[in-house]
Amino acid sequence: MTGITLAGTQVTLESRADESLTATLYRAGYAMRIACKRGGCGLCRVHVDQGQISYNAHVCESVLTPEEREQGITLACRAVPTSDVTISVPEEGRLRCVAPAFTRYALREQSGAGKGAAQAGGRDWVID
Amino acid sequence: MGVLRLGYVHVRVTDMEAAKRHYINTMGFYPMLEVGNKLYLKGWDEFDHHSIVLEEGGVGVAKVGFKVAKPDDIDVIESKSRTFGVETQRMTKGDNPDVSDGLRITLPSGHIVEVYHDQTYVGSLVGTVNPQLFPRELVGIGAPRIDHALLGCDDVNTTEKFFIDVFDFYQVERLIPDLDHQDCSLATWLSSGNRGHDIALIQGENYDKKLHHLAFQLEGWSDILKAGQIMSIDDVPIDMGPTQHGITRGKTIYYFDPSGNRNEVFADGYVAQRDRPTMLWTADQVARGINAINRTLNETFTTALT
């Protein structure tokens, strides 16, 4: 189990085994700009500020160059965290909370019954 | 006669096994030949050897083939290409398996197109004598044939002019900024026969050489829904639809192959004619042109290309 912290927020989402960054975000009620979900279009570029990721399928160099990888840029649809990570979604990635009920549920579930209520009861996780 | 139709689309895929599952099991195309890192496929209602080529390594479009009616047409296109000022190269029979000699052209947009006059005749799965409606054992969506491709261009006008001047395509529909700027094509739909488009072009920054989508032809709204149901079962990512285009009036779903190349299932649309006036779309109405029912442009359709 690894944590995905969304840079600039108080939110840390727990990633399930083999779950891509976008899969965790969408499960937790967030959305961002994604298209092909298969590592081909490159629209879901995010920056890994801290931590390590691996890929659940081959991402070709014409989509994500070695230089970009070196700089910490990754494709959220194909990247699977292998340690706790902090990610920054660029402005054009338009990360937002589209289903607050599921965000609340995910945060409550991962902090244990009741324990996370205070955090989940706040609005820190709402990214407009 | 000149160019008969779009003959083949050659796309790059990152993972051949995943691509096979998509193009064979989901789309219902038939593998005809596998050589090295390339797989050649056809639809059940196509007569020639192949209409899709998959090549492992990368994403996007490697080249697009157009079939002409007779060998002489190659000479005419070669001569017109020189006049137009694009780079050409003769190809010999066998450069592409089961494809005749022909001409390879680099479009102003950087895409490679090939024209050829013959492919090995294979025949459709229902034959030509008292044919059945369709093969009894279709696979997945069971697409009968390819329909068209949409390519990206930094400058649509020049490549559009190539298809009109050199290939003698006619313009079926066109997207322009507004009625005061009719010289600027933001997108164009071009045909050589009676389909709404054999090739279309869309303008965007750094779009040269890129693929927007390749389309499979289906018939009717019910087959579009059925295709969507199979995509749901097979976990195929959807970009848009099912819906109907204002442009061409085709019914559609846009979706992605396992490498992220956009595909479309495209049904019906009106019968295009060479003497039919070009339909004009102004940029303020583009959302209705692309998606006539929803009438809202999504955040990926004009920006995700491979």
Side-chain angles (χ1 to χ4, degrees):
Chain A
M1 190 86 77
T2 59
I4 303 170
T5 300
L6 307 178
T9 76
Q10 302 297 310
V11 177
T12 298
L13 302 169
E14 284 179 4
S15 174
R16 292 178 183 168
D18 302 323
E19 205 172 43
S20 68
L21 295 173
T22 51
T24 307
L25 286 169
Y26 274 76
R27 176 171 56 74
Y30 291 94
M32 61 175 283
R33 187 176 180 224
I34 56 173
C36 78
K37 306 182 190 175
R38 296 293 183 266
C41 72
L43 283 193
C44 64
R45 277 179 166 72
V46 300
H47 188 270
V48 181
D49 302 345
Q50 283 186 328
Q52 303 298 317
I53 56 102
S54 66
Y55 288 101
N56 62 14
H58 178 67
V59 173
C60 66
E61 294 194 353
S62 62
V63 177
L64 193 66
T65 64
E67 294 73 31
E68 288 177 305
R69 292 172 208 238
E70 195 68 28
Q71 292 162 18
I73 297 169
T74 191
L75 299 186
C77 74
R78 284 306 198 192
V80 176
T82 54
S83 72
D84 288 342
V85 293
T86 299
I87 61 165
S88 293
V89 180
E91 197 177 342
E92 64 269 22
R94 287 197 288 282
L95 177 67
R96 70 270 188 195
C97 181
V98 293
F102 289 96
T103 307
R104 201 178 295 118
Y105 175 77
L107 291 174
R108 189 173 289 150
E109 186 186 46
Q110 69 189 34
S111 10
K115 209 172 74 180
Q119 185 193 6
R123 302 270 298 169
D124 287 347
W125 42 268
V126 177
I127 298 167
D128 295 314
Chain B
M1 281 288 288
V3 176
L4 294 173
R5 62 174 174 275
L6 175 67
Y8 53 82
V9 183
H10 180 147
V11 293
R12 299 182 195 281
V13 298
T14 45
D15 178 340
M16 183 60 87
E17 289 311 308
K20 282 181 180 173
R21 285 195 292 278
H22 175 75
Y23 287 97
I24 298 172
N25 298 350
T26 300
M27 296 315 304
F29 260 44
Y30 294 85
M32 302 302 293
L33 176 71
E34 189 163 12
V35 185
N37 63 343
K38 298 191 190 75
L39 179 71
Y40 299 79
L41 308 101
K42 76 183 277 292
W44 67 261
D45 205 21
E46 290 171 325
F47 296 93
D48 284 350
H49 181 268
H50 61 264
S51 60
I52 290 181
V53 184
L54 304 176
E55 177 176 347
E56 191 168 56
V59 295
V61 59
K63 56 192 186 184
V64 176
F66 293 92
K67 190 178 184 182
V68 295
K70 54 186 193 302
D72 290 353
D73 293 324
I74 307 279
D75 302 330
V76 174
I77 287 173
E78 184 176 43
S79 162
K80 285 182 172 178
S81 293
R82 284 184 181 151
T83 305
F84 191 88
V86 288
E87 200 179 305
T88 64
Q89 182 192 348
R90 279 277 172 172
M91 54 183 207
T92 55
K93 182 175 165 63
D95 275 7
N96 299 295
D98 292 278
V99 177
S100 70
D101 59 300
L103 189 70
R104 186 172 297 128
I105 305 163
T106 306
L107 296 181
S109 59
H111 297 93
I112 306 295
V113 299
E114 294 177 335
V115 287
Y116 62 97
H117 59 85
D118 191 39
Q119 253 199 32
T120 303
Y121 180 88
V122 175
S124 84
L125 282 185
V126 293
T128 54
V129 179
N130 305 321
Q132 295 291 355
L133 297 172
F134 53 84
R136 184 66 182 73
E137 305 295 341
L138 284 179
V139 178
I141 291 166
R145 65 181 74 84
I146 59 166
D147 191 274
H148 64 267
L150 171 50
L151 306 177
C153 300
D154 282 34
D155 165 26
V156 166
N157 283 73
T158 311
T159 301
E160 161 185 83
K161 187 168 169 26
F162 170 88
F163 279 106
I164 293 168
D165 289 0
V166 179
F167 278 10
D168 197 29
F169 278 29
Y170 65 99
Q171 195 165 46
V172 181
E173 306 221 10
R174 190 156 162 255
L175 174 66
I176 53 175
D178 55 61
L179 292 175
D180 294 330
H181 297 87
Q182 299 199 19
D183 291 339
C184 176
S185 283
L186 298 174
T188 188
W189 289 260
L190 302 161
S191 184
S192 63
N194 295 111
R195 297 298 298 163
H197 46 330
D198 290 276
I199 196 88
L201 308 169
I202 184 171
Q203 188 267 335
E205 202 176 326
N206 298 321
Y207 277 12
D208 274 356
K209 299 185 182 178
K210 288 197 169 169
L211 174 70
H212 186 277
H213 69 265
L214 69 97
F216 295 87
Q217 195 181 115
L218 297 181
E219 282 177 27
W221 195 218
S222 59
D223 281 3
I224 292 287
L225 176 61
K226 180 83 177 184
Q229 291 166 334
I230 289 167
M231 290 175 203
S232 175
I233 292 169
D234 289 356
D235 192 28
V236 174
I238 302 294
D239 187 23
M240 188 194 300
T243 185
Q244 183 172 16
H245 294 302
I247 298 161
T248 73
R249 296 186 201 141
K251 292 122 189 170
T252 177
I253 302 174
Y254 288 104
Y255 54 100
F256 296 97
D257 81 1
S259 304
N261 297 306
R262 189 187 281 97
N263 289 179
E264 180 186 20
V265 282
F266 179 92
D268 313 329
Y270 55 75
V271 176
Q273 302 279 354
R274 204 164 268 279
D275 62 345
R276 191 180 200 276
T278 301
M279 301 292 115
L280 289 181
W281 288 86
T282 54
D284 60 320
Q285 293 293 313
V286 67
R288 184 162 61 83
I290 292 168
N291 190 337
I293 310 302
N294 180 284
R295 283 165 288 116
T296 306
L297 202 54
N298 74 15
E299 62 184 2
T300 55
F301 183 74
T302 61
T303 52
L305 286 80
T306 53

